[in-house]
Amino acid sequence: MVTNRLRCGGVVSFSLFVSLAVPSARAADEVVQTKSGPVKVERLATLVEPWGMAVLPDGRLLVTEKPGRLRLYSEGRLSEPIGGVPAVAYRGQGGLLDVEVDPAFARNGLVYLYYSEAAESQPKDARDVHDPRTGPDFDKEDNLLKGGAVARGRLDGTALRDVQVIWRQVPKTIGRGHFGGRLAFAPDGKLFITSGDRQRFDPAQDLASNLGKVVRIDPDGSIPQDNPFAKKDGARPDIWSLGHRNPLGAAIHPTTKALWIHEMGPWHGDEINVPEAGKNYGWPIVSNGDNYDGTPIPDHPTRPELVAPLEYWRPVISPSGLAFYAGGLFKDWRGSLLIGGLSSEALIRLTLEGNVVKSEERIGLRRRVRDVVEAPDGAVLLLTDAKDGELLRLTP
Ligand SMILES: [Ca+2]
Ligand SMILES: [Ca+2]
């Protein structure tokens, strides 16, 4: 368990935050102190609720804004919104979420978007029912029937062309959050999708639903025949692993090529998992956290047949965005796992030995960090979660 005290022989350090008083027309760069020395934090752009980003082979950056806009950032400029983005159901945790680039983008120009989609036909007089386990932060006015969806399209200049929906959450549900929403391509070309439980709990254990799952599909939306439930009656063939709550981070390990994810716990109990085919990660049967109304959830060790997390947090960090650092700019960070922290307002750096977390460093940024990627030059790019969110560039 990661706590604010000593752990694994490592000291959890909360970085001092220093702002350089440089009089300038643009926002002054900031410097944060880390275990590896001072890190410069530059603001490259301001965006409205940025959520996901992906680097194109030519170095340009695609960035989403949750209200439904996709933009390109390059050479110090943010583009106008890219055309052809599907209509998104922007409300609460929903909207335009992650973006990913096809591994063969140089040849096919394909870009993938995860977003929340309203149902074509809305039920009349439908009302969501407050499940006390979700806690008091519940929007009882949100009665829109919706679900997560993944679309892909060919980036052609300033627009996406031939946009097709290749995957959907089933079933769509009224209201609530927990769309999940991260996309990651495995080296074999399969697309992993993290699908949240829509704050409905039990679907995470139901093989007839793809809520609360990690999903694996081919890039055109078809089902890989080696998926664990591809030939099981009554199970959805797109499921890779089950028992997940709200995974907002996914990345492929650079050496083992395995998928790593993190997921938001309920009241405490954020987790890191390395999802394997067909395995059950426990939600909502077990969690090292508990429900928001204080009712207990048995901890992971009470059910050893459900895969325990590789690491967990009490109190939470609220993880969003995940990247393995493999660049050359931050020499001490090579092989580290970088996690964006929302409530923790930090970039969290974990050092690893195989699949064991050896130490944690919290680099305090005083902003909710929504996504993290490594730039081609080895800088670390972050998105911050706010109406006036930022694209930040971190360099030594
Ligand atoms: Ca779990
Ligand atoms: Ca518990």
Side-chain angles (χ1 to χ4, degrees):
M1 164 173 122
V2 181
T3 70
N4 295 347
R5 287 159 295 178
L6 291 174
R7 59 176 300 282
C8 307
V11 177
V12 177
S13 73
F14 289 88
S15 307
L16 293 173
F17 188 93
V18 182
S19 185
L20 292 181
V22 179
S24 163
R26 65 189 283 262
D29 293 336
E30 300 156 358
V31 173
V32 291
Q33 300 300 327
T34 74
K35 282 183 185 175
S36 317
V39 169
K40 185 167 86 169
V41 181
E42 288 172 85
R43 184 198 296 162
L44 300 183
T46 302
L47 297 110
V48 179
E49 293 179 88
W51 208 97
M53 56 184 159
V55 181
L56 292 171
D58 62 10
R60 291 180 299 163
L61 184 73
L62 284 163
V63 189
T64 64
E65 291 178 305
K66 203 166 80 171
R69 292 178 292 270
L70 175 68
R71 298 179 191 269
L72 276 164
Y73 176 84
S74 69
E75 294 173 353
R77 282 192 58 249
L78 202 58
S79 78
E80 290 298 306
I82 303 289
V85 171
V88 306
Y90 168 57
R91 181 155 196 166
Q93 295 173 10
L96 181 57
L97 304 181
D98 208 10
V99 55
E100 190 52 277
V101 174
D102 195 289
F105 176 87
R107 180 166 47 78
N108 62 26
L110 290 171
V111 166
Y112 298 73
L113 299 172
Y114 188 112
Y115 60 103
S116 56
E117 175 194 61
E120 279 182 29
S121 157
Q122 289 294 328
K124 293 201 174 32
D125 305 323
R127 291 290 174 270
D128 201 357
V129 179
H130 184 204
D131 181 330
R133 295 176 293 177
T134 60
D137 184 19
F138 175 79
D139 181 2
K140 60 182 187 300
E141 304 302 317
D142 181 2
N143 295 307
L144 192 69
L145 183 63
K146 56 187 178 292
V150 176
R152 74 171 184 177
R154 186 169 45 82
L155 182 62
D156 176 13
T158 59
L160 294 179
R161 313 276 182 207
D162 311 321
V163 176
Q164 298 172 298
V165 177
I166 58 168
W167 179 84
R168 286 185 165 102
Q169 280 192 321
V170 178
K172 284 185 164 59
T173 69
I174 292 169
R176 305 201 196 178
H178 293 193
F179 294 93
R182 291 292 177 193
L183 305 171
F185 272 101
D188 65 0
K190 307 301 185 201
L191 178 61
F192 285 113
I193 304 167
T194 67
S195 174
D197 75 345
R198 298 289 282 110
Q199 289 177 299
R200 301 277 160 184
F201 300 82
D202 300 331
Q205 291 293 325
D206 180 3
L207 289 175
S209 156
N210 58 20
L211 307 187
K213 308 295 187 317
V214 171
V215 162
R216 178 180 183 250
I217 59 172
D218 284 309
D220 64 357
S222 60
I223 302 296
Q225 283 310 296
D226 60 346
N227 267 5
F229 303 109
K231 297 175 181 74
K232 183 180 169 74
D233 285 345
R236 287 195 51 95
D238 54 344
I239 294 171
W240 174 256
S241 60
L242 60 148
H244 301 289
R245 185 174 177 270
N246 192 26
L248 299 182
I252 303 295
H253 190 289
T255 309
T256 67
K257 311 302 182 193
L259 172 73
W260 287 48
I261 66 164
H262 54 57
E263 56 187 274
M264 292 260 190
W267 186 29
H268 306 317
D270 295 342
E271 298 184 352
I272 292 182
N273 291 297
V274 183
E276 293 180 24
K279 293 203 173 163
N280 187 338
Y281 291 81
W283 180 257
I285 302 168
V286 287
S287 168
N288 293 340
D290 295 303
N291 287 314
Y292 279 110
D293 63 356
T295 54
I297 305 171
D299 287 348
H300 253 287
T302 62
R303 293 289 295 270
E305 76 277 22
L306 305 171
V307 185
L310 186 150
E311 187 59 280
Y312 70 96
W313 283 267
R314 289 184 74 104
V316 292
I317 55 170
S318 308
S320 184
L322 184 67
F324 286 95
Y325 187 78
L329 216 46
F330 291 98
K331 299 250 179 322
D332 293 350
W333 291 13
R334 291 202 68 160
S336 292
L337 189 60
L338 303 180
I339 303 173
L342 292 168
S343 65
S344 48
E345 300 193 336
L347 174 65
I348 291 130
R349 181 172 76 90
L350 303 182
T351 61
L352 306 172
E353 215 170 271
N355 281 14
V356 176
V357 176
K358 300 303 285 186
S359 71
E360 173 183 327
E361 178 181 19
R362 291 194 192 188
I363 300 167
L365 293 165
R366 299 193 309 188
R367 304 157 164 93
R368 293 163 55 85
V369 178
R370 174 59 80 181
D371 199 14
V372 50
V373 302
E374 182 188 320
D377 65 357
V380 171
L381 302 177
L382 303 179
L383 295 176
T384 68
D385 179 62
K387 295 276 183 202
D388 55 347
E390 298 161 288
L391 169 61
L392 300 176
R393 180 173 188 264
L394 273 54
T395 51

mmCIF file of all heavy atoms in Angstrom, residues 287-290 297-299, ligand 2:
data_model
loop_
_atom_site.group_PDB
_atom_site.id
_atom_site.type_symbol
_atom_site.label_atom_id
_atom_site.label_comp_id
_atom_site.label_asym_id
_atom_site.label_seq_id
_atom_site.Cartn_x
_atom_site.Cartn_y
_atom_site.Cartn_z
ATOM 1 N N SER A 287 -12.460 -4.565 -2.832
ATOM 2 C CA SER A 287 -11.697 -3.339 -3.088
ATOM 3 C C SER A 287 -10.959 -2.988 -1.809
ATOM 4 O O SER A 287 -11.507 -3.172 -0.716
ATOM 5 C CB SER A 287 -12.619 -2.180 -3.473
ATOM 6 O OG SER A 287 -11.904 -0.957 -3.445
ATOM 7 N N ASN A 288 -9.765 -2.482 -1.946
ATOM 8 C CA ASN A 288 -9.056 -2.025 -0.749
ATOM 9 C C ASN A 288 -9.564 -0.667 -0.280
ATOM 10 O O ASN A 288 -9.114 -0.141 0.732
ATOM 11 C CB ASN A 288 -7.555 -2.020 -0.987
ATOM 12 C CG ASN A 288 -7.027 -3.441 -1.162
ATOM 13 O OD1 ASN A 288 -7.675 -4.407 -0.743
ATOM 14 N ND2 ASN A 288 -5.877 -3.581 -1.790
ATOM 15 N N GLY A 289 -10.515 -0.118 -1.017
ATOM 16 C CA GLY A 289 -11.278 1.026 -0.538
ATOM 17 C C GLY A 289 -12.656 0.570 -0.084
ATOM 18 O O GLY A 289 -12.940 -0.629 -0.001
ATOM 19 N N ASP A 290 -13.525 1.523 0.222
ATOM 20 C CA ASP A 290 -14.885 1.230 0.652
ATOM 21 C C ASP A 290 -15.835 2.181 -0.066
ATOM 22 O O ASP A 290 -15.408 3.101 -0.758
ATOM 23 C CB ASP A 290 -15.003 1.360 2.175
ATOM 24 C CG ASP A 290 -14.148 0.313 2.885
ATOM 25 O OD1 ASP A 290 -14.344 -0.876 2.622
ATOM 26 O OD2 ASP A 290 -13.250 0.698 3.664
ATOM 27 N N ILE A 297 -16.444 -2.503 1.766
ATOM 28 C CA ILE A 297 -16.276 -3.478 0.695
ATOM 29 C C ILE A 297 -15.138 -4.383 1.162
ATOM 30 O O ILE A 297 -14.087 -3.878 1.554
ATOM 31 C CB ILE A 297 -15.878 -2.806 -0.637
ATOM 32 C CG1 ILE A 297 -16.900 -1.721 -1.016
ATOM 33 C CG2 ILE A 297 -15.735 -3.846 -1.733
ATOM 34 C CD1 ILE A 297 -16.447 -0.864 -2.196
ATOM 35 N N PRO A 298 -15.327 -5.713 1.169
ATOM 36 C CA PRO A 298 -14.236 -6.579 1.607
ATOM 37 C C PRO A 298 -12.943 -6.267 0.843
ATOM 38 O O PRO A 298 -12.986 -5.959 -0.352
ATOM 39 C CB PRO A 298 -14.748 -7.980 1.277
ATOM 40 C CG PRO A 298 -16.240 -7.844 1.248
ATOM 41 C CD PRO A 298 -16.514 -6.458 0.746
ATOM 42 N N ASP A 299 -11.828 -6.334 1.548
ATOM 43 C CA ASP A 299 -10.550 -6.041 0.908
ATOM 44 C C ASP A 299 -10.131 -7.186 -0.016
ATOM 45 O O ASP A 299 -10.617 -8.320 0.107
ATOM 46 C CB ASP A 299 -9.469 -5.811 1.971
ATOM 47 C CG ASP A 299 -9.641 -4.466 2.671
ATOM 48 O OD1 ASP A 299 -10.436 -3.638 2.185
ATOM 49 O OD2 ASP A 299 -8.971 -4.252 3.704
HETATM 50 CA CA CA B 2 -12.364 -2.504 1.549
#
